[in-house]
Amino acid sequence: MSSPAPASSTSHSGLLSRLTRLQTRIEQWVAFLRPWRWLWPPIAFAAGLGSFFLVERQQWLGAMLAIGMLIAWLLLLSESLIGRMLARRGHPKLPKGVTTFIAQMIHQETLFFCLPFLLVTTVWSSGQALFTLLLLGMAVFSIIDPLYYKLAERARWLYFAFHAQCVFLVVLVTLPIMFHLTTGASLKLALAAMVVFSLPSLLELLSGSTLRRWVMLLALLPLLAGAGWLGRIWVPPATLWITATALSPGFDVQARKPRDSVRLTPSALPETGLYAYTSIRAPRGLKEQIFHVWRHEGEVIDRIPLQIKGGRDEGYRAWSHKQNFPEAPAGPWRIDVMTDSGQRIGVLRFRVDANEARATLADGDIDSPLGLAGIALHKLLPGREKKEETPTVQQTQKHTVAKPYSEVESE
């Protein structure tokens, strides 16, 4: 007479059966999706573009898209660990081709979702262009199957570095949308995440005994984090971008618009001073400090802080008024619009010259940027309502070299 099977053996068999069925279902879904994988990149790009413009009016939609992407990332990051745990207990693992396909889909989703944010916020006349072009190249690479699968199989350290860069992107873009973290805080967390997920890449790259590898790893991680922080000026402020700029000798505070016109000659500039006007768009609920950094021939003359808030369709209007200039103001000037973490949002340039033909005309005309940043797609959305605007004014601390004066307007 046979004795009944132990309860632990029965439960083990039941779990194995359920895992086998789950694996079979996942493989069936992958087989079904493979012929349609070419649709995934444009869908992800459209989702990013929609989230980028809808997040102001439909905040929940942008947050849901971001949450969905983070969940997908958690599944991807836990797959390897869960797979090893199951293998130790005799449970089946997903075939390598299936897991690589899933990873490819998530990489494509991340890169194409984040691409609109980078294309709009990049200052193309700066080193940010190299960063965005690199990520554009990564996005194209992710859809070329022979290259992607070859990288995943033969250059694991580079594949893990690719993975870490995608983690950096998803953290950088989603945190300001979901949790209203400032650009600087999001950048620091993105760098921390990138360093953590660079561990597999560095371990694959380093050789030698286990102790030697870990010693080298502990030495490399701070260098990697430091290099990332030093290169932050090359990273676009993914959720902040300029929608309008102007230079003018006067300002209509009631209408919150620049006015009047003047040629920026050394004699005229001290009499009128100069207003630098910027309108900056940001996610609803985000509050952040930015700076108008006035530079003369590359040297910082003034650094004026301004507080902005997100949520206004046309952008948050802020201006700084510089009244005192150096004794010899002639030459090229630049006003860098910067985040508190040192990322450039935009640049205003002008020239002061005794020759009026070469001097910049500060005419108060409000210029919109070219490209996606200048397209007001939010105006096409239904249910758009006008809100009455109430001004606020803030004055900065006086400086010894010059006396800058700044004002901030909000919705």
Side-chain angles (χ1 to χ4, degrees), residues 140-384:
V140 173
F141 180 87
S142 71
I143 63 177
I144 304 176
D145 289 353
L147 293 179
Y148 182 89
Y149 281 84
K150 186 176 181 179
L151 179 71
E153 293 174 4
R154 301 185 184 179
R156 296 296 290 176
W157 72 270
L158 191 55
Y159 179 72
F160 289 134
F162 187 96
H163 187 79
Q165 187 63 36
C166 289
V167 172
F168 173 82
L169 269 183
V170 75
V171 174
L172 184 72
V173 169
T174 57
L175 290 187
I177 296 174
M178 295 174 57
F179 304 111
H180 306 150
L181 292 185
T182 64
T183 306
S186 300
L187 176 64
K188 292 174 184 176
L189 290 173
L191 285 172
M194 183 185 70
V195 169
V196 169
F197 289 105
S198 295
L199 287 173
S201 176
L202 294 174
L203 288 173
E204 287 280 341
L205 194 58
L206 298 175
S207 58
S209 63
T210 303
L211 178 60
R212 182 172 178 270
R213 291 173 72 191
W214 280 105
V215 170
M216 293 177 65
L217 184 67
L218 292 176
L220 283 175
L221 287 180
L223 292 177
L224 180 61
W229 182 250
L230 290 175
R232 66 191 182 280
I233 194 170
W234 285 27
V235 179
T239 53
L240 299 176
W241 76 101
I242 290 180
T243 59
T245 62
L247 294 170
S248 66
F251 205 90
D252 187 337
V253 177
Q254 294 299 322
R256 292 174 289 285
K257 290 183 179 179
R259 60 177 173 81
D260 300 334
S261 176
V262 68
R263 282 284 176 186
L264 299 181
T265 62
S267 58
L269 198 59
E271 296 179 5
T272 61
L274 187 64
Y275 283 89
Y277 168 89
T278 55
S279 182
I280 299 173
R281 197 152 178 243
R284 186 179 300 278
L286 182 66
K287 296 180 181 179
E288 183 147 354
Q289 185 179 63
I290 66 164
F291 294 86
H292 280 186
V293 182
W294 293 68
R295 295 177 183 267
H296 179 223
E297 297 182 337
E299 181 183 353
V300 175
I301 303 300
D302 282 312
R303 181 180 170 88
I304 303 176
L306 304 166
Q307 293 289 336
I308 65 169
K309 298 178 184 178
R312 187 173 185 271
D313 287 337
E314 289 78 12
Y316 193 95
R317 293 167 294 180
W319 59 89
S320 58
H321 182 199
K322 184 166 176 56
Q323 295 173 302
N324 285 2
F325 287 82
E327 292 182 2
W333 284 76
R334 187 176 86 225
I335 303 172
D336 291 326
V337 185
M338 308 289 290
T339 67
D340 62 352
S341 58
Q343 294 169 267
R344 184 177 286 111
I345 305 172
V347 180
L348 289 78
R349 302 177 189 274
F350 62 94
R351 184 175 186 84
V352 179
D353 202 297
N355 187 336
E356 292 192 2
R358 292 197 298 263
T360 299
L361 175 64
D363 54 9
D365 285 349
I366 298 178
D367 297 323
S368 296
L370 300 175
L372 285 174
I375 301 176
L377 293 183
H378 57 275
K379 293 183 179 179
L380 303 178
L381 299 175
R384 185 173 180 270

